[in-house]
Amino acid sequence: MQRGVVRIRRAEGRDAGRLTRLVRSSRAYEGRYASMVEGYRVGPDYIEAHRVFVAVEEIPGDEGPGERVLGFYSLMVEPAELDLMFVSDQAQGYGIGRRLVEHMRGEARRAGIDGVRVVSHPPAEGFYRSVGARPVGTVPANPPAVMWDRPELVFPVVPVVPVVPEVPVVPAVPVVPVADGGAGE
């Protein structure tokens, strides 16, 4: 895959079709996992209601610049959870997922969140662990919607500690009384 400029921006309603196609075409959901994304839809209403961000590669074109969707995530604030995260099959291995996770942590930090839960698709657990998520349990299968147990992890979000400039300490100078040598004494 040739690389152009990659940026992460807030998703818009017009992105719904491309995000839906990315979810439905993911090879991570083939075979026994196919039922999870069959008929799945990321609609404009979902994008407008949640913090959805998309990684795009800017591509030049004869009719002006365009963009290719490389991946996206959705951060829920109440309760704090990474609801969706997908990277296109063609963009995997290029650091897009890591960039999305770091962006998500920044969004969580700005929202005052100290940890983000993720109920992982089983094949994605290794990736989440590799970018700092810590296992906290297992969410049991919930047939017929989900037929397998899923790992539950938490991304710690380190708060930004404001940097306070050091103020040099000036040693106190002892006050020495001066004898008054004036008249009248």
Side-chain angles (χ1 to χ4, degrees), residues 5 18 22 27-28 32 69 77 123 125 169 173 182:
V5 174
R18 295 189 294 175
L22 196 156
R27 285 192 314 240
R32 71 181 266 204
V69 172
V77 174
E125 180 182 10
V169 177
V173 177

Side-chain angles (χ1 to χ4, degrees), residues 7-12 15 19 22 42 46-48 50-56 69-77 82 84-87 96 99-108 110:
R7 65 185 175 90
I8 298 174
R9 64 166 173 77
R10 187 79 186 242
E12 301 171 357
D15 295 315
L19 301 185
L22 196 156
V42 180
Y46 179 89
I47 292 170
E48 297 301 321
H50 302 295
R51 293 177 188 221
V52 181
F53 290 86
V54 60
V56 296
V69 172
L70 303 176
F72 76 99
Y73 75 87
S74 175
L75 173 65
M76 304 301 203
V77 174
L82 179 61
L84 297 171
M85 183 171 175
F86 283 84
V87 174
I96 303 301
R99 287 184 63 180
L100 287 169
V101 166
E102 284 310 306
H103 190 275
M104 180 271 303
R105 281 184 156 145
E107 284 297 309
R110 283 185 280 287

Side-chain angles (χ1 to χ4, degrees), residues 29-137:
Y29 284 88
E30 292 179 337
R32 71 181 266 204
Y33 299 116
S35 64
M36 283 293 296
V37 297
E38 188 177 337
Y40 195 87
R41 178 178 169 271
V42 180
D45 52 338
Y46 179 89
I47 292 170
E48 297 301 321
H50 302 295
R51 293 177 188 221
V52 181
F53 290 86
V54 60
V56 296
E57 176 184 23
E58 296 177 1
I59 49 176
D62 294 337
E63 299 172 20
E67 59 183 27
R68 177 180 301 125
V69 172
L70 303 176
F72 76 99
Y73 75 87
S74 175
L75 173 65
M76 304 301 203
V77 174
E78 290 287 328
E81 184 169 352
L82 179 61
D83 187 44
L84 297 171
M85 183 171 175
F86 283 84
V87 174
S88 76
D89 294 335
Q90 298 78 22
Q92 290 183 15
Y94 291 95
I96 303 301
R98 288 181 183 281
R99 287 184 63 180
L100 287 169
V101 166
E102 284 310 306
H103 190 275
M104 180 271 303
R105 281 184 156 145
E107 284 297 309
R109 188 176 301 113
R110 283 185 280 287
I113 297 169
D114 61 2
V116 177
R117 174 182 186 245
V118 60
V119 177
S120 177
H121 176 51
E125 180 182 10
F127 166 74
Y128 288 131
R129 285 179 175 223
S130 78
V131 291
R134 297 185 183 132
V136 294

